[in-house]
Amino acid sequence: MSLLHIDNLHASVDGKNILKGVNLSIRRGEVHAIMGPNGSGKSTLAYLLAGKPGYKATQGSVLFEGHDLLTLSPEKRARMGMFLSFQHPVEIPGVRLDQFIRAGFNSLRQHRGEPELDPLKFDRVIKKNAGMVGLHQSMTKRFVNMDFSGGEKKKSELLQMSIMEPLLSILDEPDSGLDVDALRDVANCIKQLHTFENAVLLVTHYQRILNYVVPDQVHILVDGRIVRTGNKDLAHDVEADGYDKYE
Amino acid sequence: MTTTNKDLKAVASKEYKYGWTTDVESETPEKGLNEDIVRWISEKKNEPAFLLNWRLKAFSYWKKLVSEDKTPKWANVKFPEIDYQNLYYYSAPKSKKQLDSLDQVDPEILAAYEKLGIPLEEQKHLAGVAVDAIFDSVSITTTFKKELSKHGIIFCSFSEAVQDHPELIKKYLGSVVPYTDNFFAALNAAVFSDGSFCFIPKGIRCPLELTTYFRINAAETGQFERTLIVAEDNSYVSYLEGCSAPMRDENQLHAAVVELVAMENAEIKYSTIQNWYPGDEKGKGGIYNFVTKRGICRGNNSKISWTQVETGSAITWKYPSVMLIGDDSVGEFYSVALTKGYQQADTGTKMIHLGRNTRSKIISKGISAGHGQNTYRGLVRVMPKAYKARNFTQCDSLLIGDKCGAHTAPYVEVRNNTAQLEHEAYTSKVDEEAMFYCNQRGISNEDAQSLIINGFCKEVFQKLPFEFAVEANRLIELNLEGTVG
C-alpha cells in the first residue's frame, strides 16, 4: 500500500486554480523530488498536504496510510506522521526552540498513548539530535527562528524532523539560500534521516541537492500538472535544458 | 480550514467575566464638583486643616485648568468629553463602624470578593499576605497589621494614616506628584477619597507581600485613590495591587495617584494587575483609567521597579515613572498591556536620570486583539549631571488579527554625552502563519496560542511575585480563552 496516494488532485488558493489534476504515489522507503518553475504549484502542493488554511482541494482525493487526509486538521495530520519543513519558518518571540519542539513532540506522544517526556529527559534527546543535524546546542535555547541565519533555519527544521520521526517528510526547498557547504550538510542530514520506514517528498527548484539526496523518482510540475516523471537523470536534463521544453 | 480565523474573532470578543453590581447602600453627596464638595469630603473624613487647604489649592488649580481648557489631549486615545459635573465624587458603603473581624463585614461585599476569586475569609489565613481591601472608596478591613507593626511598619488606609500619622502625610503627600503635575493629578488631590499608606522604617525588610484589592462599585462614581509608600534607608517592600470592576453602561472615571519614595539603599517593588471592565463588544461603557504613578529614588543606590499587567479598562492612560536622583539608583518598568474589543491603551514610562551612574530598564509588551489599540509612550531623559547614565528599552508588540493596532512613541532627551542608551523593538503576529506552524508540529490551536502569548509575556511575568505571576498568566489566558471550537 502507498504511504501517500494522490489521485487527480485539483486545488485552489483565493479562488485561483493552482493544481489541475496531480497524480502521485509514494511508498515507504522512497525519496521523491518535485521540480518545477516558479508558480507551477510546488509549494501549494506542500501546503495543501499539510493542511494550511486557505488551501482548498476542489477535486480528487489524497489518502495517507489509507485515511482521507483532506478532512483532517493540520495537527491531526502532523500527529499521524506528516511533517512539513517550511521554506520560511515562522519566528516566535519568547518561546525557546527546545520548548517549542517539546510541545509538539509531547502532543505526538500523547496521540500515541505514550507519557509526556519531562524537560530533563527531553534535553538529552534534543542534545543528541542537535549534534546530528549540525546545530549548536545553544541554538535550541534561543527563541524559535529569531535571528537565525538561513542555514540555521533549515537545520532547525531538520532538528524538528529528526525528533518527530515522521512517516512522510515534505521538505519545501530545504536548499534555498544555502551556500555549497551548508547545502551539503543539509543534504547529508536528510539522507541520514531517511530510512526504509519513512519517505521524503523533496520540493526544489534546483538539481544540485539531488546529487546528494538521490531520488527514486523525479516529477516535473508545470502549471499544476505533473508533465513528466523519471529517475534522477530527469533532474539533470532539466538542469541542462530548463523547464521551457516541458511547458 | 477557517477555524483559525474564527478563533481569532472569538478571542477578540471575549466577554468580561466579572460583570455584576453589588447591592450595598451607598452614602453619596450630590453629583458634580465644587468647593463645597471638597470641603464636604474633607469634613466627612475629619481631616486636619493642612489637608483641607491642600485640597482647596488643588481644586482651584484644577478649576483653572478646566477654564483654560487644558485637559490632556496628546494621548493616542479617543473618547467623548467627560462631563465632570455629572459624576459623584465620593461614595462609601454606609456601615462605617470599626470592624473587629470579617464576620462584621456586609455579606454582600464579601460575596462580591468571592466572585472575584478573592475570598477574604481564606486570605486572612493565608500566611504571608496582608490584605487591605478597598471597596469603593473606604477601607473595610485591614489584616496582619499587628504582625507588621512589630517591625514598625505602617500599612493602613490613607484615611487612617491622616488621623494617626499626620506628620508623615504632611511631609510626603504631593512630594513626588504635586497637584500641579497634571490635570488628573490636580483632580485627584482635590477629591481623593482613600487609598493606602505604607511606611517602612530604616533597615527593615518587609516580611510580607503587601496587597490591596481595589474595586469600583457605585454607579457613576469617580474613583480617586491615593497611595503613598515611603521606604526609609536600607529598607525593602514589595507591594501588590489588583483590581476588577462590575459591568456598567456609564463610563467610569478612575484617576488614581501613586507616590513612592525610596531613600538610601531602599528598594520598592510595585506590582499591579488591572482588570477593570473594558466595555461591551461594541466598546460601550468601561472604565477610564487615567493614573499618575511616580516613584522617586531619593537616596543613593536606591531602586524602584514597576511591574504592571493591564488587561482591563476601556481606556488606559498610565505612565509609572521613576525620578533617579540618588547616585547609582535604579529604575525599572516591566509592562504587559492587553487590549481587545475596542479597548485603548496609551501606556509606558518616564525615566528621569538626575544622579550619577543611574540606570533604568524598560520592558514593555503590548498585546492587541480585535479592534484594540495599544500605544507605548516612553520618555528617557538624562540631565546634565547624570554622568554615565544607562538605559535599556525594549518595546514589543503582538498583534492578534488584522483590525488591531500597535504604536510606539519613544522619546529620548540626553543632556550628558557620557550616557548610554539602547533601544530594541519588534512586532510579531499571532496570525494564521504562526498558528499553522504550531499546528504542523502537532500543537493544538489552544496550546499554540497560550505558548505564543506566554512566551511573549514571559520577561514581565518573571518579575511578578510568584502567586501573582500565576494569576497574571491565568488572567491573560482567561481574556483570550474560548478560542478553539
Side-chain angles (χ1 to χ4, degrees), chain B residues 295-309:
Chain B
I296 185 164
C297 282
R298 198 175 277 177
N300 292 344
N301 209 27
S302 54
K303 179 175 176 181
I304 289 178
S305 63
W306 299 100
T307 306
Q308 59 173 28
V309 177

Side-chain angles (χ1 to χ4, degrees), chain B residues 160-365:
Chain B
E160 283 173 273
V162 167
Q163 301 304 320
D164 301 343
H165 310 281
E167 72 294 343
L168 289 174
I169 298 295
K170 198 171 177 183
K171 185 171 174 189
Y172 291 107
L173 177 71
S175 69
V176 186
V177 181
Y179 63 77
T180 50
D181 190 81
N182 67 67
F183 184 86
F184 295 109
L187 180 61
N188 176 288
V191 300
F192 75 89
S193 44
D194 213 330
S196 296
F197 176 72
C198 178
F199 181 84
I200 316 289
K202 280 183 186 173
I204 295 295
R205 212 183 145 80
C206 182
L208 308 165
E209 304 271 8
L210 303 181
T211 308
T212 308
Y213 282 95
F214 293 87
R215 194 139 150 62
I216 302 176
N217 202 290
E220 290 175 72
T221 301
Q223 181 92 355
F224 304 95
E225 304 289 348
R226 188 133 196 141
T227 297
L228 174 57
I229 299 175
V230 179
E232 288 204 310
D233 295 355
N234 302 306
S235 67
Y236 167 84
V237 62
S238 168
Y239 185 92
L240 319 177
E241 162 202 51
C243 348
S244 178
M247 205 172 273
R248 288 290 172 207
D249 268 332
E250 291 294 310
N251 284 308
Q252 291 181 302
L253 175 64
H254 187 101
V257 170
V258 176
E259 298 180 281
L260 311 181
V261 180
M263 306 304 281
E264 198 158 316
N265 276 319
E267 179 175 352
I268 302 175
K269 263 186 84 160
Y270 193 104
S271 313
T272 306
I273 290 187
Q274 188 267 113
N275 184 26
W276 286 331
Y277 180 52
D280 67 13
E281 252 179 51
K282 297 197 176 65
K284 192 169 187 280
I287 309 292
Y288 290 179
N289 187 21
F290 301 149
V291 184
T292 307
K293 287 184 167 178
R294 189 175 306 151
I296 185 164
C297 282
R298 198 175 277 177
N300 292 344
N301 209 27
S302 54
K303 179 175 176 181
I304 289 178
S305 63
W306 299 100
T307 306
Q308 59 173 28
V309 177
E310 305 275 325
T311 63
S313 296
I315 299 174
T316 301
W317 186 95
K318 178 178 172 186
Y319 316 89
S321 307
V322 185
M323 307 273 293
L324 297 155
I325 293 177
D327 292 347
D328 301 294
S329 58
V330 176
E332 293 177 335
F333 173 74
Y334 299 96
S335 168
V336 168
L338 180 142
T339 55
K340 61 180 193 297
Y342 282 84
Q343 281 177 279
Q344 307 171 63
D346 191 309
T347 182
T349 185
K350 285 191 276 186
M351 294 290 175
I352 314 296
H353 294 256
L354 293 129
R356 289 164 176 265
N357 292 315
T358 46
R359 281 163 291 152
S360 60
K361 186 172 179 183
I362 299 169
I363 307 285
S364 163
K365 306 277 182 177

Side-chain angles (χ1 to χ4, degrees), chain A residues 52 79 84 93 107 157 160, chain B residues 426 433 437 440-442:
Chain A
K52 186 171 182 174
R79 290 168 194 164
L84 173 64
S107 78
E157 293 292 288
Q160 297 173 46
Chain B
Y426 67 75
E433 291 285 333
Y437 190 54
Q440 213 301 305
R441 300 302 184 246

Side-chain angles (χ1 to χ4, degrees), chain A residues 138-150:
Chain A
S138 64
M139 293 292 296
T140 66
K141 305 291 176 200
R142 303 215 340 222
F143 298 150
V144 178
N145 294 313
M146 297 275 291
D147 304 316
F148 282 30
S149 70

Side-chain angles (χ1 to χ4, degrees), chain A residues 9-247:
Chain A
L9 182 65
H10 292 246
S12 66
V13 183
D14 295 331
K16 198 177 165 214
N17 294 325
I18 309 286
L19 299 182
K20 301 166 182 171
V22 172
N23 297 294
L24 181 64
S25 210
I26 301 177
R27 284 179 300 188
R28 286 179 187 237
E30 291 182 342
V31 174
H32 288 236
I34 291 198
M35 301 182 72
N38 283 329
S40 59
K42 301 190 300 293
S43 286
T44 299
L45 179 62
Y47 281 143
L48 186 91
L49 292 175
K52 186 171 182 174
Y55 288 69
K56 282 199 183 68
T58 50
Q59 227 189 101
S61 67
V62 180
L63 296 179
F64 184 64
E65 285 221 290
H67 299 280
D68 180 2
L69 190 74
L70 298 175
T71 59
L72 301 174
S73 68
E75 57 270 32
K76 285 213 175 99
R77 300 181 197 197
R79 290 168 194 164
M80 281 172 64
M82 175 176 286
F83 180 88
L84 173 64
S85 164
F86 284 60
Q87 189 189 349
H88 303 291
V90 180
E91 296 181 351
I92 309 179
V95 178
R96 292 202 323 253
L97 180 61
D98 57 349
Q99 286 178 316
F100 176 71
I101 302 178
R102 193 166 77 90
F105 182 63
N106 278 333
S107 78
L108 260 59
R109 284 178 70 91
Q110 201 182 6
H111 175 74
R112 295 196 295 252
E114 294 165 8
E116 292 195 352
L117 222 53
D118 64 56
L120 278 175
K121 282 187 186 137
F122 185 73
D123 213 49
R124 284 200 285 275
V125 175
I126 203 164
K127 206 174 197 166
K128 195 181 105 226
N129 290 38
M132 185 191 54
V133 302
L135 200 62
H136 197 274
Q137 208 217 336
S138 64
M139 293 292 296
T140 66
K141 305 291 176 200
R142 303 215 340 222
F143 298 150
V144 178
N145 294 313
M146 297 275 291
D147 304 316
F148 282 30
S149 70
E152 286 164 346
K153 281 182 185 167
K154 301 295 183 194
K155 286 178 184 173
S156 154
E157 293 292 288
L158 291 179
L159 171 63
Q160 297 173 46
M161 173 179 155
S162 75
I163 288 172
M164 306 293 184
E165 298 183 325
L167 293 173
L168 175 65
S169 300
I170 303 164
L171 310 176
D172 192 4
E173 303 202 16
D175 50 350
S176 64
L178 298 184
D179 62 30
V180 183
D181 294 333
L183 175 73
R184 192 189 51 229
D185 290 349
V186 163
N188 282 334
C189 188
I190 295 168
K191 244 164 63 180
Q192 217 172 327
L193 293 174
H194 177 237
T195 69
F196 290 114
E197 287 300 310
N198 61 35
V200 171
L201 178 60
L202 205 159
V203 176
T204 182
H205 215 67
Y206 302 105
Q207 176 272 336
R208 53 181 189 165
I209 192 171
L210 304 179
N211 288 335
Y212 303 96
V213 185
V214 180
D216 298 290
Q217 288 185 35
V218 175
H219 312 277
I220 309 296
L221 187 71
V222 176
D223 192 25
R225 286 187 195 88
I226 290 176
V227 294
R228 182 76 64 88
T229 293
N231 62 14
K232 62 179 167 49
D233 298 333
L234 180 58
H236 285 281
D237 296 346
V238 168
E239 187 84 349
D241 308 337
Y243 292 111
D244 291 353
K245 77 178 225 196
Y246 303 98
E247 283 174 8

